Amino acid sequence: MGHSRLKRLVFWALCCDLGLMAKRLIGPAANLITDNLHIPGGIGTSFSLMFVVIAAAVLPGRFAATLMSAVQGGLMLILGRVGSMGALAPIGYIVPGLMIDGAMALTKDRFCRADRLEFANALGALGACLTANLIVFRLSGLLLLLYASLSMTTGLLCGRLGESIVRLLERSGIAEREKKSMKKSAVGVIALVLMLVLTLGSAVAHMEKRQETVEGCLTIVVGETETDIVLDTLETCRISGTVVNGKGVETEIDTDGYEIAAILEAACLDVTKVESVSVTASDAYTAMVDGSELAEAGKCVLILR
């Protein structure tokens, strides 16, 4: 194996590992923003995709990002760190990789490298957002717009940061200099400003529209009718096991919870006639429960944290 090929493989593996670790490193800080906006994520994924974009910019080949994303998804599946997507987790890695490769190919010889990396990172983040929403979250309307716009905004920022890292790699001799460089333009900056305005606008609109549930209560919505159920009036049941939140974080629990059937009965609903129940948490994580499962004791429970 040639020295240059070995160096590329080592760099590829390093970017692959950094991409996997980055999301967990930035997670606590990112959660401060996403939790307050009551959306399931968007920031950590954009940051982790930056390393995929860097590898796609430095390494030769048309499908560098897709290959790296597939390896990352396979590793997470083997290690059992699949989060809320379960066995479909690799799809959540491969789709952004395809988006990044597509963006890099379409913008080649049309934009400067800084703009290309920004667009690639933003489109990769959008792909990850829409994939996660399709498989897990099922958000819609204004909430989905906020989730997607925040993902793209942070994707644009991370793409610009990634371009700075690529320049440092070139100066250090780790990466080859770009053979044909184009004059820098303001396209990436304009896109970033527009996405910032869209994100801030959708965040303000979402926070104004969002109705807070009274503390110590659950709000049951049936059609246009809303009923608040006081938790202290319900009987609890003991629950032990592992829970996975909307960001894929697993936590062992041994606590008290409430059977969803009992909550519905407290709202004067006939559980036998319920076809499905949508349960939405404060971070916008939504779970669908089939009505046929409600009758099984201890199967459909709600934990408040």
Side-chain angles (χ1 to χ4, degrees):
M1 181 182 293
H3 176 71
S4 60
R5 186 180 179 187
L6 177 61
K7 186 170 67 173
R8 287 199 297 268
L9 286 173
V10 171
F11 180 77
W12 185 87
L14 178 62
C15 287
C16 187
D17 290 338
L18 287 174
L20 292 175
M21 295 186 335
K23 191 172 183 178
R24 290 186 175 273
L25 289 175
I26 201 176
N31 291 348
L32 292 176
I33 299 174
T34 56
D35 287 350
N36 283 305
L37 291 175
H38 305 287
I39 57 176
I43 298 177
T45 300
S46 298
F47 184 67
S48 67
L49 287 173
M50 179 183 71
F51 297 96
V52 180
V53 171
I54 290 172
V58 172
L59 300 175
R62 295 182 179 180
F63 298 101
T66 303
L67 179 59
M68 179 180 293
S69 299
V71 171
Q72 287 179 329
L75 285 174
M76 291 296 97
L77 190 63
I78 292 171
L79 295 174
R81 295 168 59 181
V82 294
S84 51
M85 286 191 183
L88 298 178
I91 299 176
Y93 287 88
I94 295 172
V95 171
L98 288 169
M99 297 284 280
I100 291 171
D101 281 328
M104 295 291 283
L106 291 174
T107 57
K108 187 178 182 181
D109 299 329
R110 292 183 175 87
F111 298 95
C112 66
R113 185 173 62 191
D115 292 341
R116 295 205 316 271
L117 267 60
E118 283 187 48
F119 296 149
N121 212 138
L123 288 176
L126 178 63
C129 160
L130 296 179
T131 303
N133 188 67
L134 178 64
I135 297 176
V136 182
F137 304 123
R138 308 294 174 88
L139 306 178
S140 61
L142 188 59
L143 197 57
L144 177 58
L145 175 62
L146 175 57
Y147 181 25
S149 61
L150 180 63
S151 297
M152 292 193 70
T153 300
T154 52
L156 289 168
L157 288 170
C158 291
R160 185 157 289 268
L161 175 60
E163 199 275 334
S164 299
I165 295 174
V166 171
R167 279 192 280 111
L168 290 174
L169 292 173
E170 288 178 343
R171 291 172 187 172
S172 63
I174 297 176
E176 296 181 4
R177 291 187 178 274
E178 194 174 25
K179 295 179 180 179
K180 182 181 177 182
S181 60
M182 298 183 66
K183 185 178 179 181
K184 289 188 177 181
S185 68
V187 175
V189 176
I190 294 172
L192 177 58
V193 171
L194 291 175
M195 289 308 305
L196 277 172
V197 172
L198 178 61
T199 302
L200 290 174
S202 56
V204 171
H206 167 60
M207 297 305 289
E208 288 182 350
K209 182 181 178 181
R210 189 173 185 272
Q211 295 180 346
E212 294 287 347
T213 300
V214 179
E215 187 175 355
C217 296
L218 291 174
T219 300
I220 311 297
V221 181
V222 181
E224 297 183 357
T225 304
E226 295 187 4
T227 305
D228 286 333
I229 304 298
V230 180
L231 294 175
D232 290 341
T233 63
L234 302 175
E235 292 186 6
T236 61
C237 59
R238 199 66 183 173
I239 305 167
S240 299
T242 304
V243 295
V244 184
N245 68 6
K247 300 178 177 66
V249 179
E250 297 183 359
T251 307
E252 295 293 329
I253 61 164
D254 184 15
T255 184
D256 292 327
Y258 304 89
E259 290 204 17
I260 295 179
I263 296 172
L264 298 178
E265 289 173 352
C268 300
L269 296 175
D270 187 350
V271 178
T272 60
K273 296 181 179 180
V274 175
E275 295 182 358
S276 64
V277 178
S278 174
V279 184
T280 304
S282 61
D283 64 352
Y285 179 79
T286 300
M288 297 297 298
V289 179
D290 190 87
S292 61
E293 298 176 320
L294 296 174
E296 298 183 40
K299 184 171 184 179
C300 301
V301 294
L302 183 66
I303 304 170
L304 303 181
R305 306 185 68 192

